Amino acid sequence: MEKEENFSAQHSLQLIENMINKAQNRMSDNGTLYLLWGWVVLICSSGQYLLMQFFASSKTGYIWLLTIIAGLVQIIYLSKQKKGAVVKTYTDEIINYIWVSFGICMGIATFIMTNLGSWVVLYSFVLLFYGVPTFLSGIAMRFKPLVIGGIICWCLSIISTFIQQKEILLLLSIAVLSAWIIPGYLLRKKFKSAHI
Amino acid sequence: MFKELDPILHSQLRLAVMSLLISVKEAEFTFIREKTNSTAGNLSVQVQKLKDVGYIDVAKQFKDNYPQTTCKITAAGIAAFDAYVQALQQYLSVDGVR
């Protein structure tokens, strides 16, 4: 693209279209954070269920402290990724803020529930909240597995109202498996094939 | 009456840069160079021209001891790009009638 000669209107329009496609069809998410959080929540939810099954302790919830480690890993990962980024798209930015607002909602919901409600109600809301950023990210990235994962979370949230026992933790495991872990591996596969 | 095509935008490489930047929030020089398939020398000259007319903002900083140039389209750049596309459409509709 060295020439500076006059070119036709048709050619200009083709060039514009071509460049916009090049910028927008960039696959920027490699699925790492979906996999990180998917596996951590799967370990915590299934782990807590198993602990509750075998030990009648009220301290089984401490397994969720693992999420603090995941949070630290995420901070390190994001700061490294930010350094290596060569382009920032509007889609990337919107998706980031969707997840930030999800994190804030989760924090506030946990605070409200621990002060006022029961943990069983909290899990129903957690399932409901999981669906929102997953569904929206799928729409923004035009990536169907996330859209389907988000819808599954909402269905599980409704189902959870009929399961008001510790088995609700298993619904959480199913939710992260279908909304984050499976789409995470599919995203990774798509990212790798786009960057060969 | 034909609108005149903006001579700043009616150049292959400058138009390519503007089309890329209109689609993203900001992009590094290396990204633009890769996507436009241009040489660093030619691209810097064209980026400077776009900057001089106020169509793009160019920020230079250091990242891990290496210079990094980030480009971002300005409001004036978006307006100029819009006007350019409108003028193009006018030319194309006349071509279609012929």
Side-chain angles (χ1 to χ4, degrees):
Chain A
M1 214 173 278
E2 299 283 319
K3 292 176 222 162
E4 285 298 312
E5 86 278 19
N6 278 335
F7 57 117
S8 70
Q10 191 77 46
H11 186 178
S12 293
L13 224 55
Q14 270 171 6
L15 176 69
I16 293 171
E17 202 185 325
N18 185 10
M19 283 297 138
I20 291 177
N21 281 339
K22 271 190 184 177
Q24 291 189 335
N25 290 339
R26 213 181 54 92
M27 188 67 207
S28 61
D29 199 322
N30 60 13
T32 302
L33 291 178
Y34 289 99
L35 290 174
L36 169 71
W37 283 102
W39 279 111
V40 166
V41 175
L42 183 74
I43 291 167
C44 292
S45 55
S46 315
Q48 191 183 9
Y49 176 76
L50 289 175
L51 289 172
M52 286 171 97
Q53 195 81 322
F54 297 112
F55 306 101
S57 166
S58 60
K59 289 175 181 162
T60 54
Y62 283 125
I63 195 169
W64 288 95
L65 291 175
L66 256 181
T67 55
I68 297 174
I69 299 171
L72 292 174
V73 173
Q74 177 175 356
I75 291 169
I76 296 165
Y77 173 77
L78 285 179
S79 68
K80 273 192 179 169
Q81 202 191 33
K82 204 178 169 189
K83 275 186 188 169
V86 288
V87 64
K88 202 172 181 185
T89 65
Y90 291 107
T91 312
D92 292 342
E93 196 179 47
I94 289 168
I95 292 175
N96 282 346
Y97 281 111
I98 287 172
W99 285 97
V100 167
S101 57
F102 163 72
I104 294 170
C105 286
M106 285 289 289
I108 296 174
T110 311
F111 173 77
I112 294 172
M113 295 300 170
T114 44
N115 277 348
L116 303 175
S118 75
W119 64 272
V120 195
V121 182
L122 173 67
Y123 287 127
S124 294
F125 278 101
V126 164
L127 286 166
L128 181 67
F129 287 151
Y130 276 3
V132 180
T134 311
F135 181 85
L136 289 176
S137 300
I139 295 285
M141 287 157 67
R142 292 188 216 115
F143 188 63
K144 234 179 205 162
L146 282 175
V147 175
I148 296 168
I151 295 169
I152 291 175
C153 288
W154 290 331
C155 295
L156 290 170
S157 170
I158 296 169
I159 294 170
S160 73
T161 59
F162 303 106
I163 307 171
Q164 291 298 297
Q165 283 150 15
K166 63 179 182 297
E167 278 69 31
I168 204 167
L169 285 161
L170 296 179
L171 292 186
L172 210 59
S173 304
I174 300 170
V176 290
L177 191 68
S178 51
W180 297 348
I181 297 178
I182 295 171
Y185 281 115
L186 294 174
L187 260 180
R188 175 158 284 194
K189 200 174 145 198
K190 199 176 167 192
F191 180 84
K192 277 186 182 163
S193 63
H195 288 82
I196 283 173
Chain B
M1 190 55 190
F2 273 127
K3 283 181 196 162
E4 204 180 319
L5 289 172
D6 184 340
I8 292 288
L9 293 181
H10 200 60
S11 129
Q12 283 208 40
L13 186 49
R14 287 195 294 269
L15 184 61
V17 173
M18 290 291 283
S19 306
L20 270 184
L21 291 179
I22 204 146
S23 334
V24 300
K25 198 180 175 212
E26 57 184 37
E28 250 186 53
F29 188 85
T30 48
F31 175 84
I32 302 172
R33 198 185 62 198
E34 184 201 320
K35 296 291 175 194
T36 56
N37 236 342
S38 56
T39 60
N42 191 18
L43 183 60
S44 345
V45 173
Q46 306 312 329
V47 161
Q48 188 59 44
K49 281 186 187 169
L50 289 169
K51 187 191 169 203
D52 289 344
V53 291
Y55 288 177
I56 64 171
D57 270 336
V58 179
K60 289 187 180 177
Q61 58 189 24
F62 277 90
K63 188 171 82 176
D64 297 334
N65 289 329
Y66 286 98
Q68 180 196 35
T69 308
T70 309
C71 304
K72 194 176 175 179
I73 199 163
T74 61
I78 294 172
F81 191 83
D82 272 351
Y84 179 79
V85 171
Q86 273 180 24
L88 273 187
Q89 281 169 343
Q90 210 179 34
Y91 277 90
L92 286 171
S93 62
V94 170
D95 275 351
V97 169
R98 270 180 203 162

PDB file of all heavy atoms in Angstrom, chain A residues 173-188:
ATOM      1  N   SER A 173     -22.318 -26.008  39.657  1.00  0.00           N
ATOM      2  CA  SER A 173     -21.290 -26.725  38.884  1.00  0.00           C
ATOM      3  C   SER A 173     -21.726 -26.872  37.433  1.00  0.00           C
ATOM      4  O   SER A 173     -20.933 -26.647  36.512  1.00  0.00           O
ATOM      5  CB  SER A 173     -21.042 -28.116  39.471  1.00  0.00           C
ATOM      6  OG  SER A 173     -20.685 -28.012  40.826  1.00  0.00           O
ATOM      7  N   ILE A 174     -22.999 -27.245  37.231  1.00  0.00           N
ATOM      8  CA  ILE A 174     -23.505 -27.404  35.855  1.00  0.00           C
ATOM      9  C   ILE A 174     -23.458 -26.055  35.139  1.00  0.00           C
ATOM     10  O   ILE A 174     -23.093 -25.960  33.966  1.00  0.00           O
ATOM     11  CB  ILE A 174     -24.964 -27.944  35.854  1.00  0.00           C
ATOM     12  CG1 ILE A 174     -25.023 -29.302  36.552  1.00  0.00           C
ATOM     13  CG2 ILE A 174     -25.510 -28.053  34.436  1.00  0.00           C
ATOM     14  CD1 ILE A 174     -26.446 -29.795  36.810  1.00  0.00           C
ATOM     15  N   ALA A 175     -23.814 -24.982  35.872  1.00  0.00           N
ATOM     16  CA  ALA A 175     -23.838 -23.641  35.275  1.00  0.00           C
ATOM     17  C   ALA A 175     -22.461 -23.235  34.768  1.00  0.00           C
ATOM     18  O   ALA A 175     -22.316 -22.812  33.620  1.00  0.00           O
ATOM     19  CB  ALA A 175     -24.349 -22.619  36.294  1.00  0.00           C
ATOM     20  N   VAL A 176     -21.427 -23.365  35.615  1.00  0.00           N
ATOM     21  CA  VAL A 176     -20.101 -22.922  35.164  1.00  0.00           C
ATOM     22  C   VAL A 176     -19.530 -23.837  34.082  1.00  0.00           C
ATOM     23  O   VAL A 176     -18.790 -23.386  33.210  1.00  0.00           O
ATOM     24  CB  VAL A 176     -19.077 -22.753  36.321  1.00  0.00           C
ATOM     25  CG1 VAL A 176     -19.441 -21.560  37.163  1.00  0.00           C
ATOM     26  CG2 VAL A 176     -18.933 -23.995  37.148  1.00  0.00           C
ATOM     27  N   LEU A 177     -19.926 -25.110  34.130  1.00  0.00           N
ATOM     28  CA  LEU A 177     -19.460 -26.031  33.097  1.00  0.00           C
ATOM     29  C   LEU A 177     -20.036 -25.609  31.733  1.00  0.00           C
ATOM     30  O   LEU A 177     -19.310 -25.530  30.740  1.00  0.00           O
ATOM     31  CB  LEU A 177     -19.911 -27.453  33.450  1.00  0.00           C
ATOM     32  CG  LEU A 177     -19.288 -28.577  32.632  1.00  0.00           C
ATOM     33  CD1 LEU A 177     -17.806 -28.712  32.937  1.00  0.00           C
ATOM     34  CD2 LEU A 177     -19.990 -29.905  32.931  1.00  0.00           C
ATOM     35  N   SER A 178     -21.340 -25.292  31.709  1.00  0.00           N
ATOM     36  CA  SER A 178     -21.958 -24.973  30.420  1.00  0.00           C
ATOM     37  C   SER A 178     -21.763 -23.516  30.000  1.00  0.00           C
ATOM     38  O   SER A 178     -21.749 -23.204  28.821  1.00  0.00           O
ATOM     39  CB  SER A 178     -23.447 -25.326  30.443  1.00  0.00           C
ATOM     40  OG  SER A 178     -24.040 -24.759  31.583  1.00  0.00           O
ATOM     41  N   ALA A 179     -21.596 -22.609  30.972  1.00  0.00           N
ATOM     42  CA  ALA A 179     -21.498 -21.190  30.607  1.00  0.00           C
ATOM     43  C   ALA A 179     -20.058 -20.712  30.451  1.00  0.00           C
ATOM     44  O   ALA A 179     -19.797 -19.778  29.694  1.00  0.00           O
ATOM     45  CB  ALA A 179     -22.210 -20.331  31.646  1.00  0.00           C
ATOM     46  N   TRP A 180     -19.116 -21.316  31.166  1.00  0.00           N
ATOM     47  CA  TRP A 180     -17.734 -20.820  31.120  1.00  0.00           C
ATOM     48  C   TRP A 180     -16.721 -21.847  30.639  1.00  0.00           C
ATOM     49  O   TRP A 180     -15.865 -21.525  29.819  1.00  0.00           O
ATOM     50  CB  TRP A 180     -17.310 -20.283  32.507  1.00  0.00           C
ATOM     51  CG  TRP A 180     -18.126 -19.108  32.943  1.00  0.00           C
ATOM     52  CD1 TRP A 180     -18.994 -18.382  32.166  1.00  0.00           C
ATOM     53  CD2 TRP A 180     -18.164 -18.511  34.245  1.00  0.00           C
ATOM     54  NE1 TRP A 180     -19.569 -17.385  32.909  1.00  0.00           N
ATOM     55  CE2 TRP A 180     -19.085 -17.432  34.186  1.00  0.00           C
ATOM     56  CE3 TRP A 180     -17.527 -18.792  35.441  1.00  0.00           C
ATOM     57  CZ2 TRP A 180     -19.364 -16.632  35.281  1.00  0.00           C
ATOM     58  CZ3 TRP A 180     -17.792 -17.985  36.540  1.00  0.00           C
ATOM     59  CH2 TRP A 180     -18.704 -16.921  36.459  1.00  0.00           C
ATOM     60  N   ILE A 181     -16.787 -23.087  31.199  1.00  0.00           N
ATOM     61  CA  ILE A 181     -15.721 -24.042  30.866  1.00  0.00           C
ATOM     62  C   ILE A 181     -15.816 -24.503  29.403  1.00  0.00           C
ATOM     63  O   ILE A 181     -14.852 -24.355  28.646  1.00  0.00           O
ATOM     64  CB  ILE A 181     -15.728 -25.251  31.840  1.00  0.00           C
ATOM     65  CG1 ILE A 181     -15.421 -24.743  33.266  1.00  0.00           C
ATOM     66  CG2 ILE A 181     -14.700 -26.296  31.425  1.00  0.00           C
ATOM     67  CD1 ILE A 181     -15.431 -25.799  34.343  1.00  0.00           C
ATOM     68  N   ILE A 182     -16.987 -24.984  29.001  1.00  0.00           N
ATOM     69  CA  ILE A 182     -17.118 -25.452  27.608  1.00  0.00           C
ATOM     70  C   ILE A 182     -16.911 -24.290  26.621  1.00  0.00           C
ATOM     71  O   ILE A 182     -16.066 -24.380  25.733  1.00  0.00           O
ATOM     72  CB  ILE A 182     -18.468 -26.195  27.388  1.00  0.00           C
ATOM     73  CG1 ILE A 182     -18.470 -27.478  28.226  1.00  0.00           C
ATOM     74  CG2 ILE A 182     -18.675 -26.520  25.913  1.00  0.00           C
ATOM     75  CD1 ILE A 182     -19.801 -28.199  28.280  1.00  0.00           C
ATOM     76  N   PRO A 183     -17.618 -23.132  26.794  1.00  0.00           N
ATOM     77  CA  PRO A 183     -17.352 -22.013  25.872  1.00  0.00           C
ATOM     78  C   PRO A 183     -15.896 -21.538  25.939  1.00  0.00           C
ATOM     79  O   PRO A 183     -15.334 -21.113  24.941  1.00  0.00           O
ATOM     80  CB  PRO A 183     -18.298 -20.912  26.350  1.00  0.00           C
ATOM     81  CG  PRO A 183     -19.379 -21.623  27.062  1.00  0.00           C
ATOM     82  CD  PRO A 183     -18.720 -22.806  27.704  1.00  0.00           C
ATOM     83  N   GLY A 184     -15.274 -21.641  27.128  1.00  0.00           N
ATOM     84  CA  GLY A 184     -13.874 -21.229  27.287  1.00  0.00           C
ATOM     85  C   GLY A 184     -12.953 -22.046  26.400  1.00  0.00           C
ATOM     86  O   GLY A 184     -12.094 -21.502  25.707  1.00  0.00           O
ATOM     87  N   TYR A 185     -13.145 -23.374  26.389  1.00  0.00           N
ATOM     88  CA  TYR A 185     -12.308 -24.229  25.525  1.00  0.00           C
ATOM     89  C   TYR A 185     -12.606 -23.963  24.049  1.00  0.00           C
ATOM     90  O   TYR A 185     -11.702 -23.961  23.222  1.00  0.00           O
ATOM     91  CB  TYR A 185     -12.524 -25.706  25.870  1.00  0.00           C
ATOM     92  CG  TYR A 185     -11.752 -26.120  27.105  1.00  0.00           C
ATOM     93  CD1 TYR A 185     -12.395 -26.518  28.270  1.00  0.00           C
ATOM     94  CD2 TYR A 185     -10.353 -26.080  27.116  1.00  0.00           C
ATOM     95  CE1 TYR A 185     -11.691 -26.872  29.413  1.00  0.00           C
ATOM     96  CE2 TYR A 185      -9.633 -26.427  28.254  1.00  0.00           C
ATOM     97  CZ  TYR A 185     -10.304 -26.824  29.401  1.00  0.00           C
ATOM     98  OH  TYR A 185      -9.585 -27.156  30.511  1.00  0.00           O
ATOM     99  N   LEU A 186     -13.895 -23.723  23.732  1.00  0.00           N
ATOM    100  CA  LEU A 186     -14.248 -23.446  22.334  1.00  0.00           C
ATOM    101  C   LEU A 186     -13.642 -22.117  21.877  1.00  0.00           C
ATOM    102  O   LEU A 186     -13.164 -21.986  20.753  1.00  0.00           O
ATOM    103  CB  LEU A 186     -15.784 -23.423  22.165  1.00  0.00           C
ATOM    104  CG  LEU A 186     -16.482 -24.768  22.389  1.00  0.00           C
ATOM    105  CD1 LEU A 186     -17.996 -24.613  22.347  1.00  0.00           C
ATOM    106  CD2 LEU A 186     -16.051 -25.768  21.319  1.00  0.00           C
ATOM    107  N   LEU A 187     -13.639 -21.119  22.800  1.00  0.00           N
ATOM    108  CA  LEU A 187     -13.037 -19.817  22.485  1.00  0.00           C
ATOM    109  C   LEU A 187     -11.547 -19.974  22.234  1.00  0.00           C
ATOM    110  O   LEU A 187     -10.987 -19.384  21.318  1.00  0.00           O
ATOM    111  CB  LEU A 187     -13.211 -18.860  23.673  1.00  0.00           C
ATOM    112  CG  LEU A 187     -14.323 -17.832  23.627  1.00  0.00           C
ATOM    113  CD1 LEU A 187     -14.303 -16.996  24.891  1.00  0.00           C
ATOM    114  CD2 LEU A 187     -14.192 -16.933  22.413  1.00  0.00           C
ATOM    115  N   ARG A 188     -10.909 -20.770  23.090  1.00  0.00           N
ATOM    116  CA  ARG A 188      -9.461 -20.999  22.965  1.00  0.00           C
ATOM    117  C   ARG A 188      -9.138 -21.618  21.612  1.00  0.00           C
ATOM    118  O   ARG A 188      -8.205 -21.209  20.934  1.00  0.00           O
ATOM    119  CB  ARG A 188      -9.014 -21.915  24.107  1.00  0.00           C
ATOM    120  CG  ARG A 188      -7.577 -22.332  24.021  1.00  0.00           C
ATOM    121  CD  ARG A 188      -7.054 -22.749  25.341  1.00  0.00           C
ATOM    122  NE  ARG A 188      -6.787 -21.581  26.168  1.00  0.00           N
ATOM    123  CZ  ARG A 188      -6.074 -21.625  27.271  1.00  0.00           C
ATOM    124  NH1 ARG A 188      -5.590 -22.758  27.678  1.00  0.00           N
ATOM    125  NH2 ARG A 188      -5.849 -20.540  27.967  1.00  0.00           N
TER     126      ARG A 188
END
